Amino acid sequence: MQNLIETLHVALDERSYPIHIGSGLLDRPELILPHIKQKRVVVVTNETVAPLYLARLSSTLSTGGVEVLPVVLPDGEQFKTWETLNRIFDALLGARCERSTILIALGGGVIGDMGGFAAACYQRGMPFIQVPTTLLSQVDSSVGGKTAINHPLGKNMIGAFYQPKLVLADIATLDTLPDRELKAGLAEVIKYGLIRDPEFFVWLEINLDKLLARDQASLIHAVHRSCTNKAEVVAADERESGERALLNLGHTFGHAIETGMGYGEWLHGEAVAAGTLIAAELSCRLGWIDVDMVARIERLFVRAGLPVMAPRLGAARYLELMSHDKKVQDGKLRLVLLRGLGQAVVSDVATDEQIVAAIEVRCTKMGSF
Ligand code: NAD
Ligand code: GLY
């Protein structure tokens, strides 16, 4: 398994880049050194990931004479803020980093989103590399160039589209990932099956237990298939003027849960799971999918150990939080809904009453797993 490596490409003309997926990639200088011309790089990571993987990455880089300036941030969604972002800028300026200095984001989606946003802003853009270490970041956030921080009024509201030069997804890093985080990552994996890849959904129904048991070959397949889907969507619609919005199935409700509960209370993947069930419920109420399909989706999320009921924030609060969604156009909420397995659409046909009814039937006092 050590030598198995899959490589995909995100095709974006002069901003194209490879995604390497495999086990033990952190120890392979030939994958990362060709992308680094300078003798010094900045590695943005956090207090949890640094003790696990910073020394290994530094050692790999040192074989090419590349020195690492580490920037170690506090861990957590609640730190995806201006204040934390500024710590990255303080470090970059303090060390006289140049516009051509490379920033490497080593960690999960929070580090990738913040590191990427810092790279997009510093001296109007420095190159950056994604080294994702959670399942969620390997299948989703490290690919496609969405970078952001949160605002108290809404998730990922301040950010930029800014593509990395390389994504290095070392599946072996998932060995140390807590179970709850692994399961949260599965929400985004299941998403690809639901929105555009029904065969993959069926594969997940068959192989979910292997993923939960962290079988390496199954994890590599799931990351590869997820990234294939994501790369195709991003290549077709980099800045989300159309198809890319489908990647947000469950996210409008999910972001409302994350913001409404307080950042970090519900993991992103957990909120997306409960949000996806609300979207499925609404799709069913619109007559687009039947109750058996909703039950089938629910079964897979339950098996993955993910919540299928949302917290009871109150329908008015949901609507208020959702009104900040980035898909709102002319004040009208647009939602990603399902017209069948693998057939997601963006739609504004649901009335507030229908949305509220779907939320209410999918809410319990605190949400549940
Ligand atoms: P995360 O970055 O908070 O990581 C989860 C936890 O796992 C953290 O405590 C982290 O320190 C720890 N961790 C990371 N790697 C580890 C490892 N190998 N071993 C042990 N612990 C490890 O959360 P996440 O789920 O990776 O990412 C969620 C974030 O990604 C959210 O902020 C979400 O908005 C964002 N996101 C962005 C996109 C995008 O397209 N940019 C897509 C999906 C999600
Ligand atoms: N995770 C949604 C997107 O990348 O567009």
Side-chain angles (χ1 to χ4, degrees):
M1 197 58 64
Q2 183 71 24
N3 292 323
L4 184 60
I5 170 165
E6 305 265 12
T7 300
L8 295 166
H9 291 274
V10 183
L12 289 168
D13 299 322
E14 74 286 355
R15 282 166 295 105
S16 298
Y17 52 93
I19 307 168
H20 296 309
I21 301 161
S23 187
L25 306 194
L26 274 186
D27 305 313
R28 292 180 57 174
E30 77 279 13
L31 298 177
I32 192 163
L33 286 176
H35 297 269
I36 299 172
K37 303 283 174 267
Q38 295 72 21
K39 287 293 163 207
R40 187 175 63 153
V41 296
V42 174
V43 176
V44 174
T45 185
N46 72 23
E47 286 162 351
T48 304
V49 178
L52 294 169
Y53 299 112
L54 182 58
R56 264 176 62 198
L57 180 61
S58 303
S59 155
T60 299
L61 291 165
S62 73
T63 63
V66 177
E67 185 198 327
V68 165
L69 170 71
V71 181
V72 182
L73 303 174
D75 181 8
E77 184 73 41
Q78 66 275 29
F79 295 109
K80 200 175 156 183
T81 58
W82 269 121
E83 291 70 27
T84 315
L85 186 72
N86 220 21
R87 285 178 58 171
I88 306 178
F89 296 137
D90 289 346
L92 294 172
L93 285 163
R96 296 186 190 285
C97 290
E98 299 165 0
R99 181 184 269 174
S100 59
T101 303
I102 291 181
L103 184 153
I104 301 178
L106 172 70
V110 170
I111 286 297
D113 279 14
M114 263 196 305
F117 189 36
C121 298
Y122 186 71
Q123 297 195 7
R124 302 196 182 94
M126 67 195 295
F128 92 110
I129 289 174
Q130 289 272 20
V131 183
T133 61
T134 62
L135 181 62
L136 187 139
S137 57
Q138 293 183 352
V139 299
D140 193 351
S141 61
S142 64
V143 175
K146 276 191 181 175
T147 72
I149 54 169
N150 299 328
H151 185 280
L153 290 179
K155 270 277 294 179
N156 295 335
M157 280 293 151
I158 318 295
F161 286 98
Y162 193 67
Q163 301 293 340
K165 300 289 178 203
L166 164 72
V167 178
L168 197 65
D170 186 342
I171 305 293
T173 60
L174 303 182
D175 288 349
T176 54
L177 196 64
D179 274 342
R180 185 178 170 199
E181 300 289 351
L182 185 87
K183 291 171 182 170
L186 287 172
E188 301 280 21
V189 174
I190 294 170
K191 170 185 82 178
Y192 294 110
L194 286 172
I195 62 170
R196 71 194 302 275
D197 192 348
E199 272 179 27
F200 185 40
F201 190 88
V202 173
W203 184 89
L204 288 167
E205 288 180 316
I206 296 165
N207 291 284
L208 190 78
D209 295 342
K210 288 190 197 160
L211 292 175
L212 289 167
R214 301 178 195 232
D215 170 67
Q216 295 271 297
S218 304
L219 281 170
I220 289 176
H221 178 80
V223 175
H224 183 271
R225 187 82 172 228
S226 299
C227 287
T228 302
N229 275 293
K230 179 126 192 200
E232 283 173 10
V233 172
V234 169
D237 179 23
E238 182 186 8
R239 296 177 76 89
E240 200 169 305
S241 49
E243 185 185 354
R244 185 164 182 171
L246 301 180
L247 295 172
N248 288 317
L249 177 66
H251 284 57
T252 303
F253 301 106
H255 285 164
I257 294 170
E258 288 186 83
T259 309
M261 292 297 285
Y263 297 125
E265 284 299 313
W266 276 54
L267 300 182
H268 177 69
E270 293 169 349
V272 165
T276 298
L277 263 301
I278 301 175
E281 180 71 38
L282 184 53
S283 307
C284 182
R285 283 164 182 261
L286 290 167
W288 294 352
I289 60 174
D290 59 25
V291 287
D292 291 345
M293 179 57 69
V294 180
R296 184 173 168 192
I297 296 168
E298 177 163 359
R299 272 198 301 280
L300 193 57
F301 280 111
V302 168
R303 282 178 59 205
L306 285 162
V308 292
M309 297 296 282
R312 194 172 282 290
L313 301 173
R317 178 78 174 129
Y318 268 100
L319 291 182
E320 178 199 336
L321 289 162
M322 286 160 55
S323 70
H324 292 287
D325 190 83
K326 293 188 276 310
K327 288 182 295 303
V328 168
Q329 254 179 19
D330 292 331
K332 180 100 176 112
L333 189 59
R334 298 182 311 136
L335 292 166
V336 183
L337 299 173
L338 293 172
R339 280 197 168 270
L341 184 60
Q343 292 171 45
V345 291
V346 178
S347 169
D348 66 359
V349 301
T351 62
D352 278 2
E353 291 69 30
Q354 288 169 317
I355 295 170
V356 166
I359 290 171
E360 286 190 334
V361 84
R362 277 282 156 193
C363 278
T364 58
K365 192 153 180 257
M366 293 309 295
S368 72
F369 287 66

